[in-house]
Amino acid sequence: MGSITPHPTDQTPHPYTLSNPFHTRILAGEITPLMSIKFITSNEIPMMCKMAGVHGLFIDMEHSALDLHQVGQLILACNYAGVSAVVRSPSKSHWHISRILDAGASAVVVPHIETLDEVHALVKYAKYAPLGARGCTNNLPAFNFQHVPTLTQNEVLNRETMLIPMIETPGAVKIAEEILAVEGVDGVLVGSNDLCADLGIPGKYDSALYQDAVTKVLQAGRKAGKPVGIGGIGGRLDILEKWFQLGASWSLSGQDASMLQAGLRQMARNYAEIGERVAKST
């Protein structure tokens, strides 16, 4: 999120805001892809994203062996590069959610949400009073370790960092409108793979069951005026374009392992073809 900068308004008593390009772009309805990482933990990755025009890095703690120290270092690199760090928590526990945010994440994504009680608990863990009951500390990475008055800090972080529950089961789809209506919820992410698995159609993204479920979530997002992201179908640009047409604004669009493997396979094919041509010419 980088440094704090003056942002005077007539409505707020303080002059500080944060740089969070992911937040800014998706609230403006700009289509925003995120790179996902599970294995490559080098701090060069955020700068590579920056130079490639990718504004957010999705750091996946749910489906990886990444620990909080590694994630904290990646978040710092993101903040200094000017790329938003969007971190998926490994659980719904308060000690994961609050520590991810204390490490400076621009957004925390929470998987496997099933009930409104869970959503209200997440708000309690992720937001400061009066929205929630997140514990206060100072000299946070989000502010480049500067001391910021507690009231100012809490207001800015409540407003400009994001709590994003995941919708990835039929039960969560049914209450999508209620989830998005909760104050303190800043948007949702659809988990396409788990949703299809729970619907009994794993991998069948063209199925009417999956299509109808995502359409319902997007309608709920439009009604609430909150952004909806799509996960799990980065390779299906045709379906993603449909979801963007219907109001989605961001997606998980490339993963470190798959992108590396795709490049390696292409390299191997290129050299195999060269080898075949050389062999025929000799």
Side-chain angles (χ1 to χ4, degrees):
M1 288 178 290
S3 59
I4 51 177
T5 54
H7 183 66
T9 71
D10 295 333
Q11 289 77 34
T12 56
H14 55 76
Y16 300 113
T17 187
L18 298 173
S19 173
N20 183 348
F22 169 72
H23 181 256
T24 301
R25 286 176 61 85
I26 66 173
L27 288 188
E30 297 183 61
I31 295 172
T32 303
L34 270 64
M35 178 186 177
S36 301
I37 58 171
K38 298 195 295 184
F39 306 109
I40 300 175
T41 59
S42 168
N43 285 342
E44 288 84 5
I45 294 297
M47 184 55 72
M48 291 181 186
C49 287
K50 175 75 171 183
M51 299 309 293
V54 175
H55 298 89
L57 188 63
F58 188 83
I59 304 171
D60 192 353
M61 295 184 72
E62 182 191 11
H63 296 301
S64 75
L66 294 176
D67 62 35
L68 194 56
H69 177 73
Q70 291 172 303
V71 170
Q73 295 302 299
L74 282 166
I75 290 170
L76 287 179
C78 285
N79 290 349
Y80 287 118
V83 172
S84 295
V86 178
V87 181
R88 177 154 61 184
S89 174
S91 78
K92 293 173 274 195
S93 303
H94 69 84
W95 56 82
H96 280 136
I97 294 164
S98 62
R99 292 180 74 193
I100 286 168
L101 291 170
D102 281 353
S106 299
V108 60
V109 173
V110 187
H112 306 298
I113 299 307
E114 289 282 358
T115 70
L116 284 178
D117 285 343
E118 289 177 332
V119 175
H120 288 291
L122 297 181
V123 173
K124 180 179 178 181
Y125 305 153
K127 300 292 184 178
Y128 295 108
L131 284 178
R134 178 180 166 190
C136 297
T137 187
N138 215 299
N139 304 108
L140 288 168
F143 293 102
N144 289 344
F145 304 102
Q146 298 175 84
H147 181 86
V148 179
T150 299
L151 178 60
T152 297
Q153 168 191 273
N154 293 1
E155 288 180 348
V156 170
L157 293 178
N158 270 2
R159 183 179 68 242
E160 298 186 26
T161 59
M162 302 186 76
L163 169 64
I164 303 174
M166 288 194 70
I167 293 181
E168 48 190 341
T169 67
V173 171
K174 289 180 181 178
I175 60 169
E177 192 170 305
E178 290 90 339
I179 290 172
L180 281 156
V182 173
E183 187 178 9
V185 169
D186 300 297
V188 296
L189 172 64
V190 175
S192 298
N193 284 320
D194 283 346
L195 178 57
C196 284
D198 275 21
L199 287 168
I201 50 167
K204 295 182 179 179
Y205 309 118
D206 295 296
S207 165
L209 284 175
Y210 168 72
Q211 298 274 325
D212 291 347
V214 178
T215 299
K216 181 176 180 178
V217 176
L218 291 169
Q219 290 170 343
R222 289 198 302 271
K223 181 176 181 179
K226 294 179 180 180
V228 175
I230 308 293
I233 58 168
R236 289 295 307 269
L237 295 179
D238 57 331
I239 300 178
L240 276 175
E241 185 166 349
K242 174 183 177 178
W243 299 147
F244 292 141
Q245 291 282 359
L246 291 177
S249 56
W250 63 284
S251 70
L252 308 184
S253 302
Q255 185 196 103
D256 51 4
S258 61
M259 295 173 77
L260 179 59
Q261 288 173 340
L264 289 170
R265 284 193 297 269
Q266 185 60 54
M267 181 181 70
R269 282 194 294 268
N270 291 342
Y271 278 80
E273 291 169 2
I274 291 172
E276 290 173 3
R277 290 194 295 270
V278 170
K280 289 177 181 179
S281 66
T282 56

